[in-house]
Amino acid sequence: MAMSAKSDKKPRFKYGSQASKDALSGYLYVAPFFILFLTFGIFPIFYNLYISLFSWKLFGAEPEFIGLQNYIWLLTDDPTFIKSVVNTFSIWIISTIPQLFIALVLAYVLNQGFVKMKDMFRMAIFMPFITSILAVTIIFNSLFSRDFGLINFILGTEGLDWENNNRFLTHVAIATMVNWRWIGYNTIIYMAGLQTIGKDLYEAATIDGANKIQQFFYITIPQLRPIILFTIIMSSIGGMSLFIEPLVFLDIRGGSANQGLTMFLYLYETAFGTKYNVGYSAAISWVMFVIVVLFALLNWFVTTKVIKD
Amino acid sequence: MKNRTGRFISYIFLIISSLVSVFPFYWMFVISTNSTAAANKFPPKIIPGNQFFENIQNAWQNADFVTALFNTLIVAGTITVSQLFFCSLAAFALARLEFKGRKLIFLLIVSTMLLPPASPIPLYMIVSKFDWINSLYAVIIPFLVGAFGVFLMKQFIESSIHPELIESAKMDGARNFQTYYQIVLPILKPGLATLAIITFMGVWNDFVWPSIVLKEQSVQTLQLAVRGLQNAYNRDTALIVTGAFITTLPLLAIFIPFSRQFIAGLAEGSVKG
């Protein structure tokens, strides 16, 4: 980073000096961010911890302090929560892995010199990202429709009910929406990363007789390691907090048998569904927070182990 | 020979991926130009019909799109302008002013981007303490400045505005805010445009938080109007898809001409992190 002021004189904190003016402006200019972030970002997180120690209904009786009871119920006596955790991981696996792999291959192919009309392909592949999750889910609701859906027509599975037939199918449908919206975004990120890999590496590999597929696995993936790590962490965080797709595709319970209920949807339903139980919901969000952080760290660890330089 | 096969497979892969990406947009168009009765056929219809204006009219009668559009523009417009100003100002300080703790502050801001999305419940309770339920304040004020914007603007300033330029402005006796306003902002225009598109799109598409705090029709946004159609007329596919289509069209109109810049800007913000 450039240290411009050092070139002539060291900043000295004297009132009225340029250095003190710079410091004053500096703090003043970043202040709006911190005021908003403390009020609407940090404070709610700790307020949530406080709420989670109460039996607290949004409308109705006074909150009553119950200590860790919400957490004990959640972890020892709530099969619905366990189900939501399993659903979340199941959907995460079938959305993130194909999503990132396809994006990586697309970026690799789009980065090849012979490909014409790159801009057009890139724009088409990126287009899904601009649609709202609500619109995406509405479209796929209709594509996955049991009686008149195009997907059943293409697969020859007339009358197959993606919402209710079995849990795994529901997860596949939800993962499809996620993948459709995010593959292009990840492709763009990977393409930007590919530009930073030197051509000489590939040239040397070509001279050594490595074909394009070998180059992909032995040069591209290791070289892209930091960016792959970035996308994996981002999609861990995003995928663990997935809930709009099941909310719109199914309902606030994630379907009649909770087949699409995710952790975040469960905390949302507990607070805003019919129970208005914000105390319990706050406990879910803290347990979820821990799960997300641990899972992101685990993915970090696994990715750095698996992809070696 | 082998090379040719590889190229052929590559093109096939690109073409299929592009078609899969674009097809749902076309499908939206097909459904919103047909009546629900015509759309509900097996095998499904894949050619556009001529019911588009009927569907639009129908959607218009069943949801207050004018109010929703007006609200959405107020919310998205205010947030976008505010983000451009506050994020670029903070980024200017972090990139080009010397003060104690600058690096730590930047690190703090960036690390907030890695926080998992928090539960909306405490935020809801805070906002209701402020008495902002059913007020656009609830969806505007918490989002007036954001970590991503600060980060993106800092990247742009560091790559496009030379420290010497700032120094010479100071030598000429410019105050910091003058330097920001007269020198940084004009050079930062491409960066600001990128942030504007990203912010505007994000706010336009936001749905969950507005659905929690904006319950009355007079404060509804476009996404909420569409969601309302979906809740009320669950079976009327053509109506719902038409709603989704007309809220997506303006974004396509913004995205397609600016796609190069937008894509490059997004990549910039993500990769250098």
Side-chain angles (χ1 to χ4, degrees), chain A residues 25 27 116 119 130 142 281, chain B residues 11 27 100 121 176 205 260:
Chain A
S25 321
Y27 295 127
K116 304 246 174 4
D119 276 344
I130 68 159
S142 138
S281 175
Chain B
Y11 270 115
W27 173 264
K100 237 189 174 161
I121 289 112
N176 282 327
N205 281 339
R260 277 188 72 132

Side-chain angles (χ1 to χ4, degrees), chain A residues 224-241:
Chain A
L224 276 184
R225 192 170 84 155
I227 288 166
I228 293 176
L229 205 55
F230 168 81
T231 55
I232 287 181
I233 300 300
M234 291 318 270
S235 54
S236 305
I237 296 170
M240 286 292 110
S241 16

Side-chain angles (χ1 to χ4, degrees), chain A residues 70-90 167 171 240-242 253 257-270 275 279-292:
Chain A
N70 280 326
Y71 293 92
I72 296 170
W73 280 326
L74 182 64
L75 295 172
T76 60
D77 194 24
D78 191 347
T80 313
F81 176 66
I82 306 297
K83 193 163 191 183
S84 76
V85 175
V86 174
N87 287 343
T88 308
F89 277 90
S90 164
R167 197 170 163 193
H171 295 179
M240 286 292 110
S241 16
L242 178 97
R253 296 160 304 154
N258 302 127
Q259 67 271 32
L261 185 75
T262 58
M263 291 189 281
F264 208 114
L265 186 55
Y266 188 43
L267 88 83
Y268 179 80
E269 194 256 346
T270 309
K275 302 184 203 104
Y280 197 63
S281 175
I284 300 174
S285 86
W286 267 94
V287 172
M288 194 187 120
F289 186 88
V290 173
I291 294 176
V292 176

Side-chain angles (χ1 to χ4, degrees), chain A residues 22 25 27 29 36-37 44 114 116 119 121 124 130-132 134 142 147-148 150 153 180 189 237 244 281, chain B residues 11 18 20-21 23 25 27 40 42-43 100 112 114 117 121-122 145 170 176-177 205 208 223 251 259-260 270:
Chain A
D22 279 5
S25 321
Y27 295 127
Y29 295 170
L36 281 190
F37 182 64
F114 68 85
K116 304 246 174 4
D119 276 344
F121 283 126
I130 68 159
T131 47
S132 72
L134 180 64
S142 138
D147 297 318
F148 317 112
L150 188 68
F153 177 69
W180 181 74
I189 306 293
I237 296 170
I244 307 177
S281 175
Chain B
Y11 270 115
S18 303
V20 170
S21 298
F23 181 79
F25 290 95
W27 173 264
N40 285 352
F42 201 84
K100 237 189 174 161
T112 64
L114 285 173
I121 289 112
V145 48
K170 279 181 186 166
N176 282 327
F177 191 77
N205 281 339
V208 171
Q223 300 290 326
L251 290 188
S259 65
R260 277 188 72 132
S270 315

